[in-house]
Amino acid sequence: MTRRKLLAGNWKMYKTVAEARQFAEQLGRRSTDLAAVSDYAVCPPFTALQTLRVILPTAVALGAQNVHPEANGAYTGEISVAMLAELGVSYVIVGHSERRALFDEGDEFVAQKVASVLQAGLIPILCVGENQAQRERGQAFEVVARQTQAALADVAGDALAGLVIAYEPVWAIGSGHTPTPVDAQQVISHIRSVVADSKGAAGAVSVRILYGGSVKPTNIDDFTHQPDIDGALVGGASLAADSFADMALAMNGRVRG
Ligand code: PGA
């Protein structure tokens, strides 16, 4: 089975609405570099979703960086899946390591979010990955297996085609350091085997698994040409439209014309 590659930008807490608008206009001028063989998404702060929905190139889908699992309620400051769906959001990042570490989000809460995103017909981008200490102790496989199993506990095997997993080693995020592409391939292949063991082979073959952590135009294709790596989740290098378009070209094996 061929899985479509996905390039997803995670803007984190960067860009005002005016800056987001500028990005969309610049990316629009490079829209021929966003080949239809792959999928693209940007995940801006909530405040820029409405504007980007109107002005992003049509090849680029909209994503959110977080969501609350409940449909509504007394949760000051939170956003529900229905609110995101109404704004044309297709993807929702769930369980990013910054949310796990800085906002104390545990595996169970992450699992609730995955379930509610899937239930609404949106696509979760479930982030998993070991931190530096865990890597040094040789626990990368064990950590990603635990996070993946926990987050997918209530997900049926046939729902996996609508799911994206991103392997993001915490020590690689924003650091300029990456695992080797072969190393990332091995961990991602392990994640796929964990999914196969718990959800069945068909689901494991269809789930898309991205690599994330210090991806940029000059290294993206080293990762995305590995057999089990179906694209990239990119922070810093997704903030500039030219860099985003250059990564799209490189991921698709093309050069700028
Ligand atoms: P980075 O961030 O590309 O800036 O390392 C990746 C992420 O946090 O998703």
Side-chain angles (χ1 to χ4, degrees):
M1 131 158 229
T2 48
R3 296 178 296 265
R4 283 174 68 81
K5 289 206 172 2
L6 169 64
L7 171 62
N10 170 16
W11 285 0
K12 312 192 180 186
M13 199 173 72
Y14 291 98
K15 290 197 194 292
T16 62
V17 174
E19 289 163 346
R21 180 186 294 279
Q22 200 180 27
F23 173 97
E25 286 166 1
Q26 287 170 350
L27 192 59
R29 292 195 274 279
R30 300 275 311 263
S31 57
T32 53
D33 292 335
L34 306 173
V37 290
S38 296
D39 293 333
Y40 312 93
V42 292
C43 308
F46 294 130
T47 45
L49 287 171
Q50 171 73 3
T51 298
L52 286 178
R53 169 196 200 174
V54 181
I55 58 172
L56 269 178
T58 49
V60 186
L62 211 46
Q65 298 174 22
N66 188 25
V67 71
H68 193 280
E70 293 298 328
N72 48 46
Y75 301 104
T76 301
E78 295 295 316
I79 300 278
S80 74
V81 261
M83 295 168 190
L84 296 176
E86 186 185 37
L87 289 175
V89 164
S90 307
Y91 296 90
V92 185
I93 297 173
V94 173
H96 189 281
S97 62
E98 285 153 15
R99 296 221 54 96
R100 291 180 191 259
L102 303 173
F103 302 98
D104 263 343
E105 293 194 2
D107 283 334
E108 204 178 311
F109 195 42
V110 170
Q112 289 169 11
K113 292 182 185 205
V114 169
S116 75
V117 172
L118 280 172
Q119 204 175 6
L122 274 49
I123 302 171
I125 301 178
L126 165 68
C127 300
V128 299
E130 81 286 359
N131 64 28
Q132 176 89 44
Q134 290 162 333
R135 159 120 334 207
E136 281 163 11
R137 288 197 295 266
Q139 295 172 330
F141 277 30
E142 183 186 324
V143 170
V144 297
R146 190 204 72 228
Q147 290 176 332
T148 303
Q149 273 162 349
L152 302 185
D154 299 326
V155 176
D158 59 6
L160 290 171
L163 177 92
V164 175
I165 298 174
Y167 168 54
E168 297 205 309
V170 179
W171 51 273
I173 294 176
S175 67
H177 301 296
T178 66
T180 64
V182 169
D183 190 341
Q185 157 64 26
Q186 282 169 350
V187 180
I188 286 176
S189 149
H190 180 65
I191 294 170
R192 205 177 289 289
S193 70
V194 167
V195 174
D197 289 347
S198 54
K199 303 288 165 186
V205 168
S206 61
V207 67
R208 291 190 286 180
I209 311 184
L210 317 182
Y211 168 73
S214 296
V215 172
K216 51 191 178 185
T218 49
N219 68 10
I220 186 168
D221 62 330
D222 297 337
F223 292 101
T224 57
H225 284 131
Q226 296 292 326
D228 279 292
I229 306 187
D230 304 315
L233 179 59
V234 188
S238 75
L239 290 167
D242 274 326
S243 166
F244 190 94
D246 287 345
M247 287 189 289
L249 281 177
M251 185 177 81
N252 295 325
R254 295 168 61 208
V255 287
R256 195 169 180 180

